[in-house]
Amino acid sequence: MFQRFLELYDYVQIIMLDQDRASEMVKQDSKRNLEEVVRLLQPLNEVTEDLSGESYATVSRVLPIINCLTNCLTSIKPLSSIGKNLQGSLLCEIQSRFDSYRVSPIYGPSMFLDPRFKDVHFKTTDERNAAQKKIIDLVLPPADGSCSDDDEEFFGEDQPPKKVANTSVWGYHEGMVQHHNTRRITIRKSDTVQKEIDMYMKCPVESMDCDIFRYWDEKKNLFPFLYQAALKLLPRIATSVPSERLFSKTGRILNETRTSLDPERVNRIIFLHNVDSTTFKNAK
């Protein structure tokens, strides 16, 4: 509202002058205060719109966008006392509300698994290590703190060498080869996941226009464990806005004149309201 008023300020001033109401017009000092307020609130509006998206992953963007928002607000140098107080209040609220997100089992690991961010926005090494541990625990839930069969991968069967009927010189060798190919190989899964993380970190950070779901679909054979974690974390939404939009659509469908709609038909109508033209093009 303030931004729109500032855009129309000159036109409103002319109208007020024509109506001999110039004394009611906002003065230049107050206008400058409003301009600083709008400048400080604009980044919050951008963040709100970004995290309320439905066509892209949002949960992995929370920590990066909070860091960027804090940096953006800090870089603004307000001159008025109103602007300075507002800036201080905003930075204080951001810190008090979102600092706990850094130790969340969702936001840190989600950001880490987003190839556009990885560990760029972690403030400390401990935060990064904690996110990695949570990813490993997500793929390999600890049983009771002790090593168990769930912590290991086995390839083949641990069987004694089979006797080969052939009594040729190389018959014994064939038996040994057969045992070698069917031996039991033990690999700790946690070590395997850590190796995947190390390989993943060696890959360059992707650009912001990267489709992260396509990225992980292409990398699922290279990083099978991280792929599982990415599917569990990245599809989550960061805000309740999408569900609130759905409730609003449902409210418009189930109005006073359509109370006889059965639930199944309502579900189908809501589904059709959420399908765009690109879905049908892709289906073809």
Side-chain angles (χ1 to χ4, degrees):
M1 183 179 68
F2 287 161
Q3 183 175 6
R4 185 59 176 166
F5 172 76
L6 292 173
E7 291 173 355
L8 299 174
Y9 181 86
D10 293 336
Y11 303 101
V12 174
Q13 188 175 40
I14 293 172
I15 295 172
M16 298 292 279
L17 288 172
D18 288 344
Q19 296 184 0
D20 296 327
R21 298 174 61 184
S23 60
E24 301 177 23
M25 189 61 188
V26 175
K27 302 298 186 289
Q28 286 295 324
D29 289 344
S30 299
K31 179 190 175 187
R32 284 191 289 270
N33 291 340
L34 286 177
E35 288 173 343
E36 287 191 347
V37 169
V38 169
R39 189 180 176 195
L40 287 165
L41 294 180
Q42 181 59 39
L44 274 77
N45 180 67
E46 184 179 345
V47 167
T48 302
E49 292 181 351
D50 189 288
L51 293 182
S52 300
E54 293 185 65
S55 59
Y56 51 87
T58 55
V59 69
S60 61
R61 304 165 79 97
V62 172
L63 292 183
I65 211 167
I66 290 173
N67 275 358
C68 295
L69 175 62
T70 303
N71 180 74
C72 181
L73 289 175
T74 305
S75 64
I76 297 175
K77 306 299 180 184
L79 301 176
S80 67
S81 59
I82 293 177
K84 292 177 181 178
N85 291 336
L86 177 60
Q87 182 188 48
S89 298
L90 290 175
L91 291 173
C92 182
E93 284 295 316
I94 290 172
Q95 182 177 4
S96 64
R97 290 172 181 266
F98 299 113
D99 260 13
S100 60
Y101 282 32
R102 295 191 166 276
V103 295
S104 164
I106 296 176
Y107 297 108
S110 298
M111 178 181 70
F112 189 84
L113 290 171
D114 192 322
R116 301 167 300 177
F117 306 123
K118 294 190 176 181
D119 63 346
V120 173
H121 290 278
F122 287 122
K123 289 187 176 180
T124 64
T125 304
D126 290 340
E127 284 184 5
R128 182 189 63 192
N129 294 340
Q132 292 184 15
K133 184 178 183 306
K134 287 167 185 172
I135 291 172
I136 294 174
D137 291 343
L138 182 65
V139 180
L140 308 170
D144 55 0
S146 60
C147 182
S148 65
D149 290 343
D150 293 336
D151 297 324
E152 301 175 342
E153 259 183 338
F154 301 110
F155 297 91
E157 299 178 359
D158 195 7
Q159 299 176 349
K162 293 182 179 179
K163 294 183 179 180
V164 181
N166 190 353
T167 58
S168 64
V169 174
W170 291 108
Y172 176 75
H173 169 74
E174 292 175 4
M176 295 300 294
V177 169
Q178 190 177 45
H179 172 64
H180 180 276
N181 291 337
T182 59
R183 76 191 189 286
R184 184 183 181 95
I185 302 176
T186 303
I187 300 177
R188 289 186 58 81
K189 285 187 177 180
S190 57
D191 295 339
T192 305
V193 179
Q194 187 59 54
K195 288 179 181 179
E196 284 190 15
I197 291 175
D198 295 339
M199 291 176 60
Y200 169 67
M201 290 305 298
K202 290 180 181 178
C203 300
V205 176
E206 299 291 328
S207 62
M208 285 301 295
D209 59 355
C210 169
D211 184 336
I212 63 175
F213 294 111
R214 180 174 295 178
Y215 173 92
W216 280 112
D217 188 58
E218 294 173 352
K219 302 289 185 180
K220 61 184 177 183
N221 293 327
L222 184 60
F223 307 123
F225 286 110
L226 295 186
Y227 173 72
Q228 294 176 33
L231 289 186
K232 293 178 181 178
L233 291 172
L234 295 179
R236 304 188 186 195
I237 59 175
T239 68
S240 61
V241 173
S243 56
E244 290 172 4
R245 289 174 182 154
L246 184 60
F247 291 146
S248 298
K249 291 178 182 178
T250 307
R252 290 193 294 270
I253 294 170
L254 284 174
N255 53 40
E256 294 180 356
T257 61
R258 308 182 74 183
T259 55
S260 298
L261 286 172
D262 63 88
E264 183 61 30
R265 186 175 295 274
V266 172
N267 287 336
R268 292 178 181 179
I269 294 174
I270 294 173
F271 171 76
L272 291 175
H273 271 269
N274 287 277
V275 176
D276 54 21
S277 57
T278 57
T279 304
F280 294 105
K281 292 180 181 178
N282 294 333
K284 293 179 181 179

